[in-house]
Amino acid sequence: MKRLIEKGLMFGNLIRVNSTAWVALYNRALKKVTGKETALTEFHIDISGYSPEIGDELDDMDYLRPDGGNRQFILLTTEQKTAPLLNADLSVLRDVLRAFITENESQLFSLTARDAVLGEIDDQVWQFSGPADLAAIRHLTISADTTGNHVAEADRLTALIERFRTEPDGWWDDVLIAEMIEQAKKTGDVVRNPVHLQQTGFDVQDFWTSDFGGVYVIRSAKQPAMIFSDPKAHIDLPGFQTMTTLQVNQIAAWLARNALAEPIASARGADAAPILRQKIDFILVDAATRLGIDTGSGTRAELRRAAARMGAQLPSEIRGLSALLRYSEQGGDWPVIDSADPAYFYAIRATPGPARELINRLLSELGPSDVRQLFITHKPLFYRLYQTWSEPKQAYVAEFLAREYQIDKQGTRDALFGPEPGMAEPEVTARAAPAGPWGSARARLSEGAARPPVTPPWGFSR
């Protein structure tokens, strides 16, 4: 993992804490959460205030989630909103924290100028006794205050001021006025400088959790589904279609029925050929390193020579992706590829919509040889698999990501998955039922594709 850290692919973009004042503020908050303090004089924190160095020091890499309860967070600065979230057990946590900081930035800026802000993200589920309890996660609530309770004290003064303004005898209530003056000594002028946090509740439709071996909960689809990475955790649940990641045909059919995926080759705005060619490279690197075939510096020419030496051991995904690549570059008939083909999940991406990021995460788990997509969409799985790879593959992947992805993260994401959706709700347009996630060739022709109509591309998901 040292190679990833050195190249900024792990623990990157963290906030550096190296001042005596910040360390003291952090220790005050840490004492409240864990009852312990750090002896470190310099460390780094993520968006939630979690520090891998302190986790190592305390021998507790989950110290901001004591006893497996709700996730706690410590804010020293609003600049934490740009940092990643480490040890994320719920995929939406970073988005929720970032939205909370953004919506309350001016208030949090004032609060963190004098104290650390300590908070909790409450999923309103007391205990997870089994996967069925995940369906109860529909809303996350954030409660936050400084270690000196500035928000609570300000709320109390605001309530006293309201009594003074509305009660008929407030002007003559010496006890009330004295109480207001005393409270103002603690909080300052909350009329001119109000201290009140907005937007502390967030609705959650779709999420992935690391609990129970990894579970995808997707409620925004027309047919809600729960997909389990661990077959042993699989259960039937009313209101959900439940599947495991081993049931690839069922997942493909569900994606098609709900129009959640589309072929890269016909996705609007996608430059399919370079994407498919790179996916082939990744699969060849994986196969070559497993077979002990030298790939040199990993150039495309060297990978093609390595592929020629594989013979019958050439990965089966290559045939389908190569056929699709030829179609993208030369046209002709659509290759017939269905969900039984190993290339299937490498050749599709999520369609725009509320579940897009989660579907792309699911596709990366179903096609883990595409290490770039795996790194972008599913870092917990990427880091876990990275430790199992051979040294040559680790070196190739780290060098590629540092060279090709780190220099233009947003541009790469846009090229692979399409541009980020706007703030407006996506328009729902009438559409004929697609033949698999690919739609029909005739429908694509009506959108301007200059290719002859053929039988439905890629066949039907069985």
Side-chain angles (χ1 to χ4, degrees):
M1 308 302 277
K2 182 179 178 182
R3 181 185 284 115
L4 296 179
I5 297 172
E6 290 174 346
K7 293 183 178 295
L9 299 170
M10 189 175 187
F11 303 147
N13 297 325
L14 296 178
I15 303 298
R16 184 181 181 186
V17 179
N18 61 346
S19 74
T20 303
W22 267 14
V23 172
L25 290 177
Y26 190 91
N27 264 329
R28 286 178 60 185
L30 185 62
K31 184 80 171 178
K32 282 200 168 188
V33 176
T34 66
K36 302 176 182 179
E37 295 183 345
T38 178
L40 300 177
T41 57
E42 182 177 328
F43 49 89
H44 298 78
I45 58 175
D46 69 1
I47 187 173
S48 72
Y50 170 81
S51 169
E53 295 105 323
I54 293 177
D56 185 58
E57 178 194 23
L58 299 179
D59 195 25
D60 182 3
M61 303 309 288
D62 212 15
Y63 67 88
L64 285 185
R65 194 188 179 197
D67 301 321
N70 290 325
R71 182 70 176 246
Q72 311 284 319
F73 63 89
I74 299 171
L75 294 181
L76 296 180
T77 170
T78 55
E79 291 303 311
Q80 285 174 233
K81 68 180 181 181
T82 63
L85 178 65
L86 307 178
N87 295 351
D89 56 293
L90 202 63
S91 61
V92 295
L93 287 183
R94 183 179 184 273
D95 291 337
V96 167
L97 263 176
R98 181 165 184 168
F100 169 74
I101 295 172
T102 301
E103 291 294 327
N104 297 282
E105 189 154 8
S106 61
Q107 302 296 333
L108 291 171
F109 182 84
S110 298
L111 291 171
T112 54
R114 50 184 169 176
D115 203 349
V117 172
L118 177 63
E120 178 182 37
I121 305 174
D122 186 1
D123 56 28
Q124 300 180 339
V125 179
W126 285 99
Q127 187 177 18
F128 292 116
S129 58
D133 295 325
L134 296 174
I137 300 178
R138 293 179 174 273
H139 193 79
L140 296 179
T141 302
I142 291 182
S143 55
D145 204 341
T146 64
T147 56
N149 298 319
H150 290 93
V151 175
E153 296 288 0
D155 286 344
R156 185 165 184 268
L157 178 56
T158 300
L160 293 174
I161 293 172
E162 186 63 20
R163 281 181 54 196
F164 177 77
R165 287 174 170 173
T166 58
E167 291 183 1
D169 298 329
W171 289 91
W172 297 278
D173 190 336
D174 293 337
V175 174
L176 175 59
I177 293 172
E179 194 174 356
M180 288 170 54
I181 294 172
E182 192 62 30
Q183 189 68 20
K185 293 178 182 178
K186 302 177 183 178
T187 64
D189 188 349
V190 296
V191 176
R192 293 185 178 180
N193 302 291
V195 179
H196 182 68
L197 299 176
Q198 306 291 330
Q199 180 139 7
T200 56
F202 301 85
D203 292 324
V204 175
Q205 278 192 305
D206 310 315
F207 62 89
W208 170 89
T209 176
S210 60
D211 292 327
F212 310 109
V215 185
Y216 298 82
V217 179
I218 305 172
R219 274 189 290 252
S220 64
K222 290 180 291 185
Q223 295 176 306
M226 191 176 288
I227 302 171
F228 298 82
S229 297
D230 181 2
K232 296 178 182 177
H234 177 263
I235 60 169
D236 293 324
L237 197 63
F240 289 89
Q241 180 177 347
T242 60
M243 300 167 280
T244 75
T245 51
L246 299 179
Q247 296 175 298
V248 293
N249 293 335
Q250 290 90 327
I251 291 176
W254 174 75
L255 291 171
R257 287 194 303 271
N258 292 273
L260 291 173
E262 62 184 354
I264 295 170
S266 63
R268 192 180 300 275
D271 192 357
I275 296 174
L276 294 170
R277 195 175 288 113
Q278 189 62 67
K279 287 175 182 282
I280 291 173
D281 287 352
F282 290 144
I283 293 170
L284 288 177
V285 167
D286 179 64
T289 53
R290 281 190 289 103
L291 296 172
I293 298 175
D294 182 27
T295 59
S297 58
T299 64
R300 189 153 287 150
E302 290 170 315
L303 289 176
R304 295 303 178 269
R305 286 194 290 271
R309 296 171 56 190
M310 293 179 193
Q313 294 178 299
L314 186 71
S316 52
E317 296 94 334
I318 298 297
R319 183 186 301 274
L321 289 177
S322 296
L324 187 58
L325 176 60
R326 289 193 298 272
Y327 170 81
S328 299
E329 293 181 325
Q330 304 168 18
D333 292 343
W334 277 81
V336 178
I337 298 176
D338 63 17
S339 57
D341 193 304
Y344 186 82
F345 292 106
Y346 289 99
I348 60 178
R349 74 180 191 184
T351 54
R356 185 174 76 163
E357 289 194 10
L358 201 60
I359 296 300
N360 280 327
R361 178 184 285 237
L362 172 64
L363 294 177
S364 71
E365 183 168 347
L366 296 170
S369 291
D370 185 349
V371 291
R372 177 172 56 182
Q373 178 163 327
L374 185 66
F375 178 77
I376 295 172
T377 64
H378 204 335
K379 283 186 175 60
L381 181 57
F382 174 87
Y383 293 136
R384 188 165 77 245
L385 293 179
Y386 179 89
Q387 298 178 70
T388 69
W389 296 338
S390 64
E391 169 65 22
K393 182 174 179 180
Q394 288 182 347
Y396 172 85
V397 171
E399 179 61 32
F400 175 87
L401 292 174
R403 183 182 69 249
E404 302 290 338
Y405 174 62
Q406 290 288 82
I407 59 174
D408 185 13
K409 295 180 181 180
Q410 191 57 51
T412 301
R413 292 179 66 91
D414 289 348
L416 292 177
F417 312 126
E420 293 294 329
M423 298 300 291
E425 290 294 322
E427 294 182 4
V428 179
T429 55
R431 180 183 299 182
W438 315 93
S440 68
R442 194 172 300 276
R444 278 191 302 278
L445 278 173
S446 67
E447 296 174 357
R451 298 188 177 103
V454 293
T455 55
W458 300 64
F460 297 86
S461 299
R462 291 194 296 270

